[in-house]
Amino acid sequence: MHIRENMEQLEQRYLSPYATLSQNSRGRDRNEPPCDIRPVFQRDRDRILHCKAFRRLKHKTQVFLTPRGDHYRTRLTHTLEVSQNARTIAKALRLNEDLVEAIALGHDLGHTPFGHSGEHMLNEICEEGFKHNEQSVRIVEELEKNGKGLNLTWEVRDGILNHQTSLMPATLEGKIVRLSDKIAYINHDIDDAIRAKVLREEDIPRAYREILGTTSRKRLDTLIHNIVSNSFEKDDICMSNEVEQAMQGLRKFMFQNVYQNPKAKREEERAKELLNRLFYYYAAHIDLLPEWYLEKMEQGEAKERIVCDYIAGMTDQYAIAKFEEYFMPKAWQVN
């Protein structure tokens, strides 16, 4: 069978001349035999989808800390929405959909419990600093599979690392995910904020609603169509100036009215204190960490880096459970 080779030939014939072809990948850090069925980026997508860090995203905060309600976004549902937006754009532009999906599914693997508040806390504590995009790459390179990593291709790791606003991926597929991330969180965070009664649709400035639309569905439609129409048959992923400015204005509005809103963030300081206490507890009781973390210390990793790795991998519930185990008094009983 020559299934993979046939699929690579299909990419050559069908995809845009600006697409990243699977057979032209810069490869993996560790050489390994190719799959007989799947091109390299599809294989990376599958590895991310099946890894433990991906599954833990379902119990990690997106914006609202441990919300009571089944319909608020988690880090996992955010990731799936980013992936869907990105795949729609990639397919319309005839770019590599497998690469886009792999980057999208892996871009937030390194997020801490309790969202960005957890990230900020670990960044304050750790002398080396902590950024979730860098941690996502660390997970796929060094931490998954008990320290073996997933051995992903260079293009996927580049897209994961550079999905932040201040950075720029090397591939068009990575650039699609970078924009799709913002499109997803702006729109679904508006939806969650309205559900939480932190925001009303009419609170959004009229200028942004007139350009982008008055519902999440219309805003998504406007933004995705604008990227496709302005990037079609170009060696770039871009938006019209009017729509881009409106999106950036809406993002700034969300920071001022939702992401920094006291009602949405009223538990943030408690969450940060919880992680702070856990960090210093594990630093003083390092033997509580799984053995393969301790092996990384023996290989030269700093203790605080390893503690950061362990805490960053926790779900919200697990962090709370460990805090209760170590710091909350328990009823006395006869053994």
Side-chain angles (χ1 to χ4, degrees):
M1 292 192 303
H2 302 282
I3 295 175
R4 174 181 53 80
E5 292 91 336
N6 290 339
M7 292 178 71
E8 290 172 347
Q9 291 173 9
L10 282 173
E11 285 185 0
Q12 281 187 301
R13 292 198 297 268
Y14 172 73
L15 294 185
S16 162
Y18 306 115
T20 305
L21 300 181
S22 300
Q23 65 183 29
N24 293 338
S25 170
R26 297 193 192 184
R28 310 178 188 279
D29 283 348
R30 301 189 302 276
N31 289 330
E32 56 184 66
C35 178
D36 60 340
I37 295 176
R38 298 167 296 169
V40 290
F41 301 137
Q42 182 183 350
R43 200 176 188 187
D44 283 359
R45 186 275 313 274
D46 295 350
R47 289 180 180 184
I48 292 169
L49 187 67
H50 291 292
C51 77
K52 291 188 290 185
F54 183 80
R55 295 197 294 274
R56 291 196 298 268
L57 294 177
K58 68 181 177 179
H59 292 307
K60 291 196 176 193
T61 290
Q62 173 60 26
V63 172
F64 295 92
L65 273 64
T66 57
R68 293 183 178 178
D70 294 333
H71 300 125
Y72 291 96
R73 268 70 170 193
T74 64
R75 192 61 60 178
L76 178 61
T77 56
H78 160 73
T79 295
L80 295 177
E81 291 186 40
V82 173
S83 176
Q84 185 56 52
N85 293 341
R87 287 178 57 200
T88 298
I89 296 168
K91 181 172 285 189
L93 296 177
R94 291 188 298 118
L95 296 176
N96 197 313
E97 199 173 338
D98 288 336
L99 175 55
V100 156
E101 189 172 18
I103 295 169
L105 294 180
H107 82 284
D108 269 356
L109 292 179
H111 252 298
T112 62
F114 311 118
H116 286 287
S117 59
E119 179 178 14
H120 296 156
M121 173 51 66
L122 291 186
N123 188 52
E124 292 173 11
I125 295 173
C126 187
E127 288 185 5
E128 299 177 9
F130 183 94
K131 295 180 180 178
H132 81 271
N133 59 315
E134 295 175 359
Q135 187 69 11
S136 296
V137 174
R138 182 169 168 82
I139 284 172
V140 300
E141 288 184 342
E142 301 184 43
L143 300 181
E144 261 297 325
K145 298 180 70 175
N146 293 340
K148 297 176 183 178
L150 301 180
N151 197 29
L152 304 182
T153 56
W154 182 89
E155 291 79 7
V156 173
R157 288 177 286 140
D158 169 79
I160 290 172
L161 178 64
N162 294 299
H163 76 271
Q164 297 283 82
T165 301
S166 59
L167 304 171
M168 189 61 67
T171 65
L172 295 190
E173 289 82 0
K175 291 179 180 180
I176 287 175
V177 175
R178 178 177 173 271
L179 278 178
S180 296
D181 182 34
K182 297 167 185 58
I183 290 170
Y185 73 66
I186 289 171
N187 282 285
H188 65 51
D189 291 350
I190 289 174
D191 187 42
D192 281 356
I194 291 173
R195 177 174 292 106
K197 303 188 186 303
V198 170
L199 188 71
R200 299 174 303 165
E201 177 68 41
E202 52 267 32
D203 294 331
I204 300 172
R206 179 180 296 178
Y208 306 147
R209 288 188 287 145
E210 288 178 349
I211 294 172
L212 301 177
T214 56
T215 66
S216 290
R217 183 184 65 79
K218 291 179 180 178
R219 283 188 287 269
L220 284 170
D221 187 69
T222 297
L223 290 163
I224 289 172
H225 272 82
N226 190 263
I227 292 173
V228 171
S229 62
N230 283 277
S231 307
F232 192 72
E233 295 186 347
K234 292 181 182 177
D235 189 15
D236 197 10
I237 303 299
C238 48
M239 307 171 73
S240 69
N241 185 63
E242 179 186 44
V243 169
E244 182 176 14
Q245 291 299 315
M247 185 183 78
Q248 294 297 341
L250 184 55
R251 181 173 178 267
K252 184 177 180 181
F253 169 83
M254 289 295 291
F255 270 94
Q256 294 171 342
N257 294 274
V258 177
Y259 304 138
Q260 299 169 355
N261 183 291
K263 184 177 180 181
K265 292 297 186 181
R266 60 188 172 191
E267 298 299 314
E268 184 172 299
E269 290 305 314
R270 294 181 182 180
K272 291 172 71 173
E273 178 61 21
L274 181 153
L275 295 185
N276 182 68
R277 296 282 296 276
L278 284 179
F279 179 91
Y280 288 109
Y281 187 84
Y282 282 118
H285 302 84
I286 196 68
D287 57 302
L288 292 173
L289 270 60
E291 184 176 346
W292 66 269
Y293 278 98
L294 304 182
E295 290 174 358
K296 292 191 73 66
M297 282 183 56
E298 293 174 1
Q299 295 166 7
E301 291 278 7
K303 180 168 70 173
E304 68 169 16
R305 180 77 261 168
I306 295 302
V307 173
C308 266
D309 288 337
Y310 187 57
I311 292 177
M314 293 179 173
T315 62
D316 295 11
Q317 292 98 320
Y318 189 75
I320 292 170
K322 285 299 173 182
F323 181 85
E324 291 177 346
E325 178 182 342
Y326 299 141
F327 298 109
M328 297 298 288
K330 298 174 179 62
W332 182 86
Q333 62 181 4
V334 177
N335 291 327

Short mmCIF file of all heavy atoms in Angstrom, two decimals, residues 190-238:
data_model
loop_
_atom_site.label_atom_id
_atom_site.label_comp_id
_atom_site.label_asym_id
_atom_site.label_seq_id
_atom_site.Cartn_x
_atom_site.Cartn_y
_atom_site.Cartn_z
N ILE A 190 -17.73 36.64 25.05
CA ILE A 190 -18.91 37.52 25.07
C ILE A 190 -20.14 36.69 25.42
O ILE A 190 -20.95 37.07 26.28
CB ILE A 190 -19.10 38.21 23.70
CG1 ILE A 190 -18.02 39.28 23.48
CG2 ILE A 190 -20.49 38.85 23.61
CD1 ILE A 190 -18.05 39.91 22.10
N ASP A 191 -20.28 35.54 24.78
CA ASP A 191 -21.43 34.66 25.02
C ASP A 191 -21.47 34.23 26.49
O ASP A 191 -22.53 34.27 27.14
CB ASP A 191 -21.31 33.45 24.10
CG ASP A 191 -22.55 32.57 24.15
OD1 ASP A 191 -23.67 33.11 24.16
OD2 ASP A 191 -22.40 31.34 24.18
N ASP A 192 -20.32 33.83 27.05
CA ASP A 192 -20.28 33.40 28.45
C ASP A 192 -20.53 34.57 29.40
O ASP A 192 -21.18 34.42 30.44
CB ASP A 192 -18.92 32.77 28.77
CG ASP A 192 -18.82 31.34 28.28
OD1 ASP A 192 -19.82 30.82 27.77
OD2 ASP A 192 -17.73 30.73 28.41
N ALA A 193 -20.02 35.74 29.05
CA ALA A 193 -20.22 36.92 29.90
C ALA A 193 -21.69 37.33 29.94
O ALA A 193 -22.20 37.75 30.99
CB ALA A 193 -19.36 38.08 29.41
N ILE A 194 -22.37 37.21 28.81
CA ILE A 194 -23.81 37.50 28.77
C ILE A 194 -24.56 36.48 29.62
O ILE A 194 -25.47 36.82 30.39
CB ILE A 194 -24.32 37.53 27.32
CG1 ILE A 194 -23.74 38.75 26.58
CG2 ILE A 194 -25.85 37.55 27.28
CD1 ILE A 194 -24.04 38.77 25.09
N ARG A 195 -24.17 35.21 29.51
CA ARG A 195 -24.80 34.15 30.31
C ARG A 195 -24.59 34.42 31.81
O ARG A 195 -25.48 34.15 32.62
CB ARG A 195 -24.22 32.79 29.93
CG ARG A 195 -24.76 31.63 30.76
CD ARG A 195 -24.27 30.28 30.25
NE ARG A 195 -24.84 29.97 28.94
CZ ARG A 195 -24.16 30.03 27.79
NH1 ARG A 195 -22.88 30.36 27.79
NH2 ARG A 195 -24.74 29.75 26.66
N ALA A 196 -23.42 34.93 32.16
CA ALA A 196 -23.09 35.19 33.56
C ALA A 196 -23.62 36.54 34.05
O ALA A 196 -23.40 36.90 35.21
CB ALA A 196 -21.58 35.15 33.75
N LYS A 197 -24.30 37.28 33.16
CA LYS A 197 -24.87 38.59 33.48
C LYS A 197 -23.79 39.60 33.87
O LYS A 197 -24.02 40.53 34.65
CB LYS A 197 -25.93 38.48 34.59
CG LYS A 197 -27.08 37.54 34.24
CD LYS A 197 -28.20 37.60 35.24
CE LYS A 197 -29.27 36.55 34.96
NZ LYS A 197 -29.83 36.66 33.60
N VAL A 198 -22.60 39.41 33.32
CA VAL A 198 -21.52 40.37 33.46
C VAL A 198 -21.61 41.42 32.36
O VAL A 198 -21.15 42.54 32.51
CB VAL A 198 -20.15 39.65 33.41
CG1 VAL A 198 -18.99 40.64 33.32
CG2 VAL A 198 -19.99 38.75 34.63
N LEU A 199 -22.26 41.06 31.27
CA LEU A 199 -22.29 41.90 30.07
C LEU A 199 -23.64 41.71 29.38
O LEU A 199 -24.26 40.66 29.50
CB LEU A 199 -21.15 41.46 29.13
CG LEU A 199 -20.85 42.29 27.89
CD1 LEU A 199 -20.22 43.62 28.30
CD2 LEU A 199 -19.88 41.52 26.99
N ARG A 200 -24.07 42.75 28.68
CA ARG A 200 -25.23 42.66 27.79
C ARG A 200 -24.76 42.95 26.38
O ARG A 200 -23.81 43.70 26.17
CB ARG A 200 -26.30 43.66 28.19
CG ARG A 200 -26.86 43.48 29.61
CD ARG A 200 -27.82 44.63 29.94
NE ARG A 200 -27.13 45.93 29.78
CZ ARG A 200 -27.76 47.11 29.71
NH1 ARG A 200 -29.08 47.15 29.75
NH2 ARG A 200 -27.07 48.23 29.58
N GLU A 201 -25.44 42.38 25.41
CA GLU A 201 -25.06 42.61 24.02
C GLU A 201 -25.04 44.10 23.70
O GLU A 201 -24.13 44.59 23.01
CB GLU A 201 -26.04 41.89 23.08
CG GLU A 201 -25.79 42.11 21.60
CD GLU A 201 -24.50 41.48 21.10
OE1 GLU A 201 -24.19 40.34 21.52
OE2 GLU A 201 -23.80 42.14 20.31
N GLU A 202 -25.99 44.84 24.24
CA GLU A 202 -26.07 46.28 23.94
C GLU A 202 -24.97 47.08 24.62
O GLU A 202 -24.79 48.27 24.32
CB GLU A 202 -27.44 46.84 24.31
CG GLU A 202 -27.90 46.55 25.73
CD GLU A 202 -28.74 45.30 25.82
OE1 GLU A 202 -28.51 44.35 25.04
OE2 GLU A 202 -29.64 45.27 26.69
N ASP A 203 -24.22 46.46 25.55
CA ASP A 203 -23.08 47.15 26.16
C ASP A 203 -21.90 47.26 25.21
O ASP A 203 -21.04 48.13 25.38
CB ASP A 203 -22.62 46.40 27.43
CG ASP A 203 -23.65 46.44 28.54
OD1 ASP A 203 -24.41 47.42 28.60
OD2 ASP A 203 -23.69 45.49 29.35
N ILE A 204 -21.86 46.38 24.22
CA ILE A 204 -20.76 46.43 23.24
C ILE A 204 -20.90 47.70 22.42
O ILE A 204 -21.99 48.01 21.92
CB ILE A 204 -20.81 45.18 22.33
CG1 ILE A 204 -20.67 43.91 23.16
CG2 ILE A 204 -19.71 45.26 21.27
CD1 ILE A 204 -20.91 42.65 22.38
N PRO A 205 -19.83 48.47 22.26
CA PRO A 205 -19.92 49.73 21.50
C PRO A 205 -20.54 49.53 20.12
O PRO A 205 -20.24 48.57 19.41
CB PRO A 205 -18.45 50.17 21.39
CG PRO A 205 -17.81 49.61 22.63
CD PRO A 205 -18.50 48.28 22.85
N ARG A 206 -21.42 50.45 19.78
CA ARG A 206 -22.18 50.33 18.54
C ARG A 206 -21.27 50.25 17.32
O ARG A 206 -21.56 49.51 16.37
CB ARG A 206 -23.12 51.54 18.39
CG ARG A 206 -23.95 51.50 17.10
CD ARG A 206 -24.87 52.69 17.00
NE ARG A 206 -25.87 52.69 18.07
CZ ARG A 206 -26.77 53.65 18.24
NH1 ARG A 206 -26.80 54.69 17.40
NH2 ARG A 206 -27.64 53.57 19.23
N ALA A 207 -20.16 50.99 17.34
CA ALA A 207 -19.26 50.98 16.18
C ALA A 207 -18.77 49.58 15.87
O ALA A 207 -18.66 49.19 14.69
CB ALA A 207 -18.07 51.91 16.45
N TYR A 208 -18.47 48.79 16.89
CA TYR A 208 -17.99 47.42 16.66
C TYR A 208 -19.13 46.52 16.20
O TYR A 208 -18.94 45.66 15.34
CB TYR A 208 -17.36 46.86 17.94
CG TYR A 208 -16.27 47.71 18.53
CD1 TYR A 208 -16.06 47.79 19.91
CD2 TYR A 208 -15.43 48.48 17.71
CE1 TYR A 208 -15.07 48.57 20.45
CE2 TYR A 208 -14.44 49.28 18.24
CZ TYR A 208 -14.26 49.33 19.62
OH TYR A 208 -13.27 50.12 20.15
N ARG A 209 -20.32 46.73 16.77
CA ARG A 209 -21.46 45.89 16.37
C ARG A 209 -21.88 46.17 14.94
O ARG A 209 -22.29 45.26 14.22
CB ARG A 209 -22.63 46.12 17.33
CG ARG A 209 -22.40 45.50 18.71
CD ARG A 209 -23.64 45.56 19.57
NE ARG A 209 -23.90 46.91 20.04
CZ ARG A 209 -25.11 47.44 20.20
NH1 ARG A 209 -26.18 46.73 19.91
NH2 ARG A 209 -25.25 48.66 20.65
N GLU A 210 -21.78 47.42 14.51
CA GLU A 210 -22.16 47.76 13.14
C GLU A 210 -21.23 47.12 12.12
O GLU A 210 -21.65 46.73 11.03
CB GLU A 210 -22.17 49.28 12.96
CG GLU A 210 -23.34 49.96 13.68
CD GLU A 210 -23.32 51.47 13.53
OE1 GLU A 210 -22.28 52.00 13.05
OE2 GLU A 210 -24.31 52.12 13.90
N ILE A 211 -19.95 46.99 12.48
CA ILE A 211 -18.98 46.41 11.55
C ILE A 211 -18.97 44.89 11.62
O ILE A 211 -18.97 44.21 10.59
CB ILE A 211 -17.56 46.97 11.84
CG1 ILE A 211 -17.51 48.46 11.55
CG2 ILE A 211 -16.51 46.23 11.01
CD1 ILE A 211 -16.23 49.14 11.99
N LEU A 212 -18.98 44.35 12.84
CA LEU A 212 -18.78 42.91 13.03
C LEU A 212 -20.08 42.13 13.14
O LEU A 212 -20.11 40.93 12.83
CB LEU A 212 -17.94 42.67 14.28
CG LEU A 212 -16.55 43.31 14.28
CD1 LEU A 212 -15.85 43.05 15.61
CD2 LEU A 212 -15.71 42.77 13.13
N GLY A 213 -21.14 42.75 13.61
CA GLY A 213 -22.42 42.05 13.79
C GLY A 213 -22.90 42.11 15.23
O GLY A 213 -22.15 42.43 16.14
N THR A 214 -24.16 41.76 15.41
CA THR A 214 -24.79 41.92 16.72
C THR A 214 -25.02 40.59 17.45
O THR A 214 -25.64 40.57 18.51
CB THR A 214 -26.14 42.63 16.56
OG1 THR A 214 -26.96 41.89 15.63
CG2 THR A 214 -25.95 44.05 16.03
N THR A 215 -24.53 39.50 16.89
CA THR A 215 -24.59 38.20 17.57
C THR A 215 -23.26 37.49 17.35
O THR A 215 -22.48 37.83 16.43
CB THR A 215 -25.72 37.31 17.02
OG1 THR A 215 -25.42 36.97 15.66
CG2 THR A 215 -27.07 38.02 17.10
N SER A 216 -22.99 36.47 18.17
CA SER A 216 -21.76 35.70 18.01
C SER A 216 -21.70 35.06 16.62
O SER A 216 -20.65 35.04 15.98
CB SER A 216 -21.66 34.62 19.08
OG SER A 216 -21.43 35.19 20.35
N ARG A 217 -22.83 34.53 16.16
CA ARG A 217 -22.85 33.89 14.84
C ARG A 217 -22.48 34.87 13.74
O ARG A 217 -21.67 34.57 12.87
CB ARG A 217 -24.24 33.29 14.57
CG ARG A 217 -24.33 32.53 13.25
CD ARG A 217 -25.75 32.06 12.98
NE ARG A 217 -26.67 33.17 12.79
CZ ARG A 217 -26.78 33.86 11.66
NH1 ARG A 217 -26.02 33.56 10.61
NH2 ARG A 217 -27.65 34.84 11.57
N LYS A 218 -23.06 36.08 13.80
CA LYS A 218 -22.77 37.07 12.77
C LYS A 218 -21.33 37.56 12.85
O LYS A 218 -20.68 37.79 11.82
CB LYS A 218 -23.75 38.25 12.89
CG LYS A 218 -25.18 37.89 12.52
CD LYS A 218 -26.11 39.09 12.69
CE LYS A 218 -27.54 38.73 12.31
NZ LYS A 218 -28.48 39.86 12.52
N ARG A 219 -20.81 37.71 14.08
CA ARG A 219 -19.42 38.16 14.22
C ARG A 219 -18.46 37.11 13.68
O ARG A 219 -17.48 37.43 12.98
CB ARG A 219 -19.12 38.49 15.68
CG ARG A 219 -19.68 39.83 16.14
CD ARG A 219 -19.20 40.20 17.52
NE ARG A 219 -19.84 39.40 18.55
CZ ARG A 219 -20.98 39.75 19.17
NH1 ARG A 219 -21.58 40.88 18.86
NH2 ARG A 219 -21.50 38.98 20.11
N LEU A 220 -18.71 35.85 14.00
CA LEU A 220 -17.86 34.78 13.47
C LEU A 220 -17.91 34.77 11.94
O LEU A 220 -16.87 34.65 11.27
CB LEU A 220 -18.31 33.43 14.01
CG LEU A 220 -17.93 33.11 15.46
CD1 LEU A 220 -18.65 31.84 15.92
CD2 LEU A 220 -16.42 32.93 15.60
N ASP A 221 -19.09 34.88 11.39
CA ASP A 221 -19.26 34.88 9.93
C ASP A 221 -18.48 36.03 9.30
O ASP A 221 -17.78 35.85 8.30
CB ASP A 221 -20.75 34.98 9.60
CG ASP A 221 -21.00 34.82 8.11
OD1 ASP A 221 -20.82 33.71 7.59
OD2 ASP A 221 -21.37 35.83 7.47
N THR A 222 -18.60 37.23 9.89
CA THR A 222 -17.90 38.42 9.35
C THR A 222 -16.39 38.24 9.40
O THR A 222 -15.69 38.47 8.41
CB THR A 222 -18.29 39.67 10.17
OG1 THR A 222 -19.69 39.91 10.02
CG2 THR A 222 -17.51 40.89 9.69
N LEU A 223 -15.88 37.81 10.55
CA LEU A 223 -14.43 37.71 10.73
C LEU A 223 -13.82 36.63 9.84
O LEU A 223 -12.78 36.84 9.21
CB LEU A 223 -14.11 37.44 12.20
CG LEU A 223 -14.38 38.63 13.13
CD1 LEU A 223 -14.44 38.17 14.59
CD2 LEU A 223 -13.30 39.70 12.96
N ILE A 224 -14.45 35.47 9.78
CA ILE A 224 -13.92 34.37 8.97
C ILE A 224 -13.98 34.71 7.49
O ILE A 224 -13.01 34.51 6.75
CB ILE A 224 -14.66 33.06 9.29
CG1 ILE A 224 -14.28 32.59 10.71
CG2 ILE A 224 -14.34 31.99 8.26
CD1 ILE A 224 -15.10 31.42 11.21
N HIS A 225 -15.12 35.25 7.03
CA HIS A 225 -15.22 35.64 5.63
C HIS A 225 -14.21 36.72 5.27
O HIS A 225 -13.64 36.72 4.17
CB HIS A 225 -16.63 36.14 5.32
CG HIS A 225 -17.59 35.07 4.92
ND1 HIS A 225 -18.23 34.27 5.84
CD2 HIS A 225 -17.99 34.63 3.69
CE1 HIS A 225 -19.00 33.41 5.21
NE2 HIS A 225 -18.87 33.60 3.91
N ASN A 226 -13.97 37.64 6.19
CA ASN A 226 -13.04 38.73 5.92
C ASN A 226 -11.62 38.21 5.75
O ASN A 226 -10.88 38.65 4.86
CB ASN A 226 -13.10 39.76 7.04
CG ASN A 226 -12.34 41.03 6.71
OD1 ASN A 226 -11.20 41.19 7.10
ND2 ASN A 226 -12.98 41.94 5.97
N ILE A 227 -11.22 37.26 6.61
CA ILE A 227 -9.88 36.67 6.48
C ILE A 227 -9.75 35.93 5.15
O ILE A 227 -8.75 36.07 4.43
CB ILE A 227 -9.59 35.72 7.66
CG1 ILE A 227 -9.45 36.52 8.95
CG2 ILE A 227 -8.32 34.92 7.40
CD1 ILE A 227 -9.34 35.66 10.19
N VAL A 228 -10.76 35.14 4.81
CA VAL A 228 -10.70 34.36 3.57
C VAL A 228 -10.62 35.29 2.35
O VAL A 228 -9.78 35.11 1.46
CB VAL A 228 -11.91 33.42 3.46
CG1 VAL A 228 -11.98 32.79 2.07
CG2 VAL A 228 -11.84 32.35 4.54
N SER A 229 -11.48 36.28 2.30
CA SER A 229 -11.52 37.16 1.12
C SER A 229 -10.25 38.00 0.99
O SER A 229 -9.82 38.29 -0.13
CB SER A 229 -12.75 38.07 1.18
OG SER A 229 -12.71 38.91 2.32
N ASN A 230 -9.64 38.37 2.11
CA ASN A 230 -8.44 39.21 2.05
C ASN A 230 -7.14 38.41 1.93
O ASN A 230 -6.09 38.98 1.64
CB ASN A 230 -8.36 40.11 3.29
CG ASN A 230 -9.30 41.29 3.21
OD1 ASN A 230 -9.00 42.31 2.61
ND2 ASN A 230 -10.49 41.14 3.79
N SER A 231 -7.21 37.09 2.17
CA SER A 231 -6.02 36.25 2.10
C SER A 231 -6.01 35.33 0.88
O SER A 231 -5.00 34.65 0.64
CB SER A 231 -5.92 35.38 3.37
OG SER A 231 -5.99 36.16 4.54
N PHE A 232 -7.09 35.31 0.12
CA PHE A 232 -7.22 34.36 -0.98
C PHE A 232 -6.12 34.56 -2.02
O PHE A 232 -5.89 35.66 -2.50
CB PHE A 232 -8.60 34.51 -1.64
CG PHE A 232 -8.94 33.39 -2.58
CD1 PHE A 232 -9.25 32.13 -2.09
CD2 PHE A 232 -8.93 33.60 -3.94
CE1 PHE A 232 -9.56 31.08 -2.96
CE2 PHE A 232 -9.23 32.56 -4.81
CZ PHE A 232 -9.54 31.30 -4.32
N GLU A 233 -5.41 33.46 -2.31
CA GLU A 233 -4.32 33.44 -3.29
C GLU A 233 -3.22 34.46 -2.95
O GLU A 233 -2.60 35.04 -3.84
CB GLU A 233 -4.86 33.68 -4.70
CG GLU A 233 -5.78 32.55 -5.17
CD GLU A 233 -6.21 32.69 -6.61
OE1 GLU A 233 -6.00 33.78 -7.19
OE2 GLU A 233 -6.76 31.72 -7.15
N LYS A 234 -2.98 34.63 -1.65
CA LYS A 234 -1.90 35.50 -1.18
C LYS A 234 -0.97 34.69 -0.27
O LYS A 234 -1.39 33.74 0.37
CB LYS A 234 -2.44 36.70 -0.40
CG LYS A 234 -3.21 37.70 -1.23
CD LYS A 234 -3.67 38.85 -0.35
CE LYS A 234 -4.50 39.85 -1.14
NZ LYS A 234 -5.01 40.95 -0.27
N ASP A 235 0.26 35.12 -0.20
CA ASP A 235 1.23 34.49 0.69
C ASP A 235 1.20 35.17 2.05
O ASP A 235 2.24 35.57 2.60
CB ASP A 235 2.63 34.58 0.07
CG ASP A 235 3.65 33.75 0.84
OD1 ASP A 235 3.25 32.90 1.66
OD2 ASP A 235 4.87 33.97 0.63
N ASP A 236 -0.01 35.32 2.58
CA ASP A 236 -0.18 35.95 3.89
C ASP A 236 -1.60 35.67 4.37
O ASP A 236 -2.48 35.31 3.58
CB ASP A 236 0.05 37.47 3.80
CG ASP A 236 0.29 38.11 5.16
OD1 ASP A 236 0.48 37.36 6.15
OD2 ASP A 236 0.29 39.35 5.24
N ILE A 237 -1.79 35.83 5.67
CA ILE A 237 -3.12 35.72 6.26
C ILE A 237 -3.44 37.08 6.86
O ILE A 237 -2.76 37.55 7.77
CB ILE A 237 -3.16 34.63 7.37
CG1 ILE A 237 -2.72 33.29 6.80
CG2 ILE A 237 -4.56 34.55 7.97
CD1 ILE A 237 -3.58 32.76 5.67
N CYS A 238 -4.46 37.73 6.31
CA CYS A 238 -4.71 39.12 6.71
C CYS A 238 -6.20 39.43 6.68
O CYS A 238 -7.02 38.67 6.19
CB CYS A 238 -3.95 40.08 5.80
SG CYS A 238 -4.13 39.74 4.04
#
